[in-house]
Amino acid sequence: MKHGDKANPFGKITEDWHELDGREELSEREELEMDLLLEAIFRIRGYDFRNYLRSSLRRRIRNRMNLDRLPTVTAMLEKTLYEDGYLEKLLEDFSIKVTEMFRDPNFFLAFRKKVVPILREYPSLRIWHAGCATGEEVYSMAILLQEEGLLERTSIYATDMSKEAIVQAKEGKFPLKRMQAYTKNYLQAGGIQEFSAYYSTDHTHAYVLPFMKKHMTFAQHNLATDGSFNEFHVILCRNVLIYFNPTLQTRVHGVLADSLAQDGFLALGNKESFLSVHKARFDEYWQEERIFRKR
Ligand SMILES: C[S@@+](CC[C@H](N)C(=O)[O-])C[C@H]1O[C@@H](n2cnc3c(N)ncnc32)[C@H](O)[C@@H]1O
């Protein structure tokens, strides 16, 4: 079979396996292997990463291959199929849980100044944090609402696809060494108390005060496969959609729009654009901080 033969899209690769050098061919084969891996994960456990950005997934997969000393993605597929617990390990690898309390303080400042005055008019409030990671964003919102006198009438729903993230988020336990940076964020975000009034500590960790948790429900929810589960006045889905391709972003924009009450607010991450057909269902409310309002 000749190189480039239509029946063999990888031409040289199957002929000269040991002399594999063409980068394009290498990535074409790796793409196929990744397709098979993602398809297997979807068929076995229903987690759908097929429309995640390839660049980000590729980095995660290569990182795992290095850690586990695997020569190919196919070797990873084999472990996924036959080794107990391996698939779960990959699921956690694919969940990028980088977060902070009062991350992007200007967002929380804008929320306090521009959104809270409108929320005051509502007798009760439902807020959804979609992709809450380990909970830092959720506790930040609870602190803000407490300071604005709104927490008492608010129910906060916090979801993530990652089981580990949800377990940690429920705990409300954060490394002590991060609290200094979080205090700075809190003050920049318009915080009006001593930040340390919201947590207790031991030698290693800070523990958020339990009064916040009374208003929170944590659950697993997958934006790639699950639908709307309630109607909310505010949804935060920040720094999640950046990992999705346009097809999946469109799906999720639809779920978020369907889950918002009329005039409800949607907050995206500050590097996220909103370019799907669902944009027409929203007005830009505070463009600088990516806050939209449902028409
Ligand atoms: C970078 S964190 C963002 C956390 C927080 N919203 C923030 O801005 O700091 C992204 C989170 O999205 C979650 N995620 C990724 N894909 C998801 C999906 N399909 N459904 C729900 N959560 C998802 C990840 O598990 C991760 O915890």
Side-chain angles (χ1 to χ4, degrees):
M1 191 175 291
K2 289 196 193 79
H3 176 47
D5 191 320
K6 272 206 169 67
N8 174 16
F10 305 117
K12 190 173 174 218
I13 294 174
T14 43
E15 284 178 17
D16 303 323
W17 180 259
H18 298 289
E19 289 169 29
L20 187 64
D21 56 4
R23 290 195 67 82
E24 250 175 54
E25 288 147 315
L26 173 67
S27 74
E28 201 177 337
R29 186 187 60 182
E30 204 182 60
E31 283 301 308
L32 172 57
E33 291 181 286
M34 275 177 53
D35 283 346
L36 296 173
L37 177 68
L38 301 181
E39 188 65 31
I41 292 172
F42 179 58
R43 292 230 212 142
I44 298 168
R45 288 290 304 276
Y47 282 82
D48 193 354
F49 295 102
R50 295 173 300 177
N51 283 312
Y52 277 50
L53 282 186
R54 276 303 165 101
S55 49
S56 162
L57 279 180
R58 197 177 297 119
R59 246 192 321 276
R60 302 266 133 192
I61 289 172
R62 285 185 178 160
N63 194 33
R64 174 54 57 196
M65 283 166 69
N66 282 339
L67 288 171
D68 293 350
R69 297 176 189 281
L70 299 173
T72 60
V73 180
T74 299
M76 182 176 275
L77 172 61
E78 196 174 328
K79 277 170 102 60
T80 305
L81 292 174
Y82 295 111
E83 193 177 302
D84 273 355
Y86 199 80
L87 196 155
E88 284 65 29
K89 194 153 80 170
L90 288 189
L91 294 180
E92 292 306 329
D93 283 350
F94 292 171
S95 148
I96 300 166
K97 303 183 193 75
V98 178
T99 186
E100 290 175 13
M101 287 188 93
F102 293 96
R103 179 181 194 174
D104 305 320
N106 284 340
F107 161 74
F108 284 93
L109 190 61
F111 191 90
R112 201 187 271 265
K113 293 211 158 120
K114 308 287 173 193
V115 179
V116 162
I118 294 168
L119 299 183
R120 269 190 217 297
E121 307 298 322
Y122 292 84
S124 65
L125 288 168
R126 283 184 302 280
I127 299 185
W128 178 20
H129 292 258
C132 66
T134 41
E136 284 82 340
E137 180 186 84
V138 189
Y139 293 105
S140 306
M141 180 57 80
I143 289 170
L144 187 159
L145 294 172
Q146 169 73 3
E147 292 184 352
E148 296 298 331
L150 293 180
L151 186 60
E152 219 26 67
R153 64 175 106 149
T154 303
S155 301
I156 299 178
Y157 297 80
T159 63
D160 201 282
M161 70 166 179
S162 155
K163 198 171 162 185
E164 267 181 24
I166 290 299
V167 169
Q168 281 188 48
K170 267 188 200 166
E171 262 191 297
K173 170 182 163 188
F174 305 113
L176 198 53
K177 58 176 188 275
R178 300 196 71 181
M179 296 319 270
Q180 205 178 344
Y182 293 170
T183 305
K184 201 168 151 220
N185 284 356
Y186 165 75
L187 293 172
Q188 281 176 16
I192 55 177
Q193 295 278 342
E194 286 287 322
F195 188 48
S196 56
Y198 294 107
Y199 57 84
S200 59
T201 59
D202 61 17
H203 292 311
T204 52
H205 287 90
Y207 304 83
V208 296
L209 296 189
F211 77 86
M212 291 183 236
K213 293 187 186 174
K214 279 197 308 202
H215 302 273
M216 296 174 181
T217 305
F218 291 96
Q220 261 186 291
H221 176 277
N222 194 325
L223 291 162
T225 45
D226 296 332
S228 177
F229 60 94
N230 207 330
E231 194 177 76
F232 299 95
H233 303 100
V234 177
I235 300 178
L236 280 80
C237 186
R238 301 170 64 231
N239 308 302
V240 180
L241 293 160
I242 30 168
Y243 301 107
F244 299 171
N245 74 11
T247 306
L248 185 51
Q249 288 193 12
T250 302
R251 175 195 201 273
V252 177
H253 289 156
V255 172
L256 299 176
D258 292 344
S259 306
L260 266 182
Q262 197 186 331
D263 294 329
F265 293 95
L266 170 65
L268 301 180
N270 70 3
K271 291 184 202 71
E272 288 167 328
S273 53
F274 193 172
L275 293 173
S276 74
V277 288
H278 300 288
K279 190 165 194 233
R281 301 168 73 182
F282 290 88
D283 290 318
E284 282 179 356
Y285 181 72
W286 201 252
Q287 170 56 19
E288 260 168 77
E289 298 304 331
R290 302 287 198 272
I291 302 176
F292 302 85
R293 194 163 190 195
K294 188 168 164 182
R295 284 189 181 156

